[in-house]
Amino acid sequence: MRRKFIAGNWKMNKTAEEGAALARELVKALAGGGKADVAVCPPFTALAAVGAELKGSAIALGAQNMHWEKSGAFTGEVSAGMLVSAGCKYVILGHSERRGLFGETDATVNRKLAAALAAGLAPIVCVGEVLAEREAGRTLEVVAGQVRNSLANLDARDMLKVTLAYEPVWAIGTGRNATPEQAQEVHAAIRGLLAELFGKASAEAVRIQYGGSVNAANAKSILSMPDVDGALVGGASLKAADFAAIVGSS
Ligand code: 13P
């Protein structure tokens, strides 16, 4: 039985002070513990302040991006080791906003994945089709290509440390979530491909989150699907009550 995993992607929101305040609220709201693993991924500048608030709680810290090199002349970048030292357990890789706005490709995601695993981080690898691809009936083909190429050269043991996030780009920030059935179809296809690539046991153990306009009202129906193992939540993760309600739906 896979344990559900709910992660909040704060994107470019919250200063250190604002992030610490939200983290304090979340620690209070989720104090009872629960059945799901929970993480929040603030911007780099808020990691330390948020991490300090999360200490001793069951909420883990994650980052939204990283570079594949350990150090060097890469102005504006942050390494996996730096994230570990900032208290991160998780790192989101290949989010569609990174792919679409900042030129990330499956190849760069793959390099980042190897570096993240080498540093001991648990990566959350994002995949998902754009609207034109869905409308052309190419969703499964596009997502399979992203999964194959982003996870290239990974062995089955390392795969167990990875979470996948299926985030249809047309559902992100639009208020138009995938239906539970649409999510399930893609999640099941991803799991089938993982079985082919890494064996059935790994495929059954890997968690696949859904992301894209998840909120307190729709979380339960999406999370009830058999191959949906959690959620990667954007906008609704910025309000403690909403995020706590989503965690409570899992
Ligand atoms: P929204 O929940 O705001 O649609 O964002 C989803 C997302 O991109 C999470 O990574």
Side-chain angles (χ1 to χ4, degrees), residues 17-28:
E17 293 80 7
E18 291 164 351
L22 176 55
R24 257 195 308 278
E25 283 186 73
L26 283 173
V27 168
K28 221 184 280 168

Side-chain angles (χ1 to χ4, degrees), residues 52-248:
E53 296 295 337
L54 299 181
K55 263 218 171 73
S57 82
I59 306 172
L61 189 66
Q64 301 171 17
N65 181 34
M66 51 166 266
H67 194 267
W68 56 81
E69 293 290 349
K70 287 197 171 83
S71 63
F74 301 101
T75 301
E77 295 291 330
V78 164
S79 73
M82 292 170 188
L83 296 183
V84 171
S85 102
C88 289
K89 175 172 180 189
Y90 297 101
V91 62
I92 298 170
L93 298 178
H95 189 279
S96 68
E97 286 146 21
R98 304 274 344 146
R99 291 174 186 262
L101 302 171
F102 303 104
E104 287 212 23
T105 62
D106 292 336
T108 58
V109 172
N110 185 247
R111 291 182 79 169
K112 292 178 180 200
L113 179 65
L117 289 165
L121 288 168
I124 300 171
V125 176
C126 303
V127 297
E129 81 287 359
V130 300
L131 186 59
E133 291 165 336
R134 173 160 286 267
E135 286 176 342
R138 295 185 52 228
T139 297
L140 298 183
E141 166 203 336
V142 167
V143 169
Q146 291 172 332
V147 169
R148 248 178 223 286
N149 296 326
S150 300
L151 304 181
N153 303 316
L154 200 66
D155 64 33
R157 220 189 39 207
D158 275 343
M159 188 62 221
L160 295 174
K161 299 170 194 152
V162 177
T163 298
L164 286 173
Y166 168 57
E167 300 205 304
V169 179
W170 49 270
I172 294 178
T174 59
R176 181 186 165 194
N177 60 284
T179 64
E181 293 73 23
Q182 285 173 323
Q184 170 59 25
E185 181 193 21
V186 180
H187 284 228
I190 293 173
R191 202 175 304 286
L193 176 59
L194 292 177
E196 211 179 280
L197 298 172
F198 301 101
K200 203 164 163 46
S202 294
E204 285 304 318
V206 168
R207 295 186 290 194
I208 308 173
Q209 294 174 322
Y210 167 79
S213 297
V214 175
N215 58 39
N218 63 24
K220 206 174 183 70
S221 61
I222 297 171
L223 289 167
S224 69
M225 301 311 280
D227 286 293
V228 177
D229 307 312
L232 186 53
V233 185
S237 72
L238 298 172
K239 291 193 189 115
D242 288 2
F243 191 64
I246 293 168
V247 172

Side-chain angles (χ1 to χ4, degrees), residues 18-51:
E18 291 164 351
L22 176 55
R24 257 195 308 278
E25 283 186 73
L26 283 173
V27 168
K28 221 184 280 168
L30 298 172
K35 297 188 300 262
D37 290 336
V38 180
V40 295
C41 304
F44 294 136
T45 47
L47 285 173
V50 171

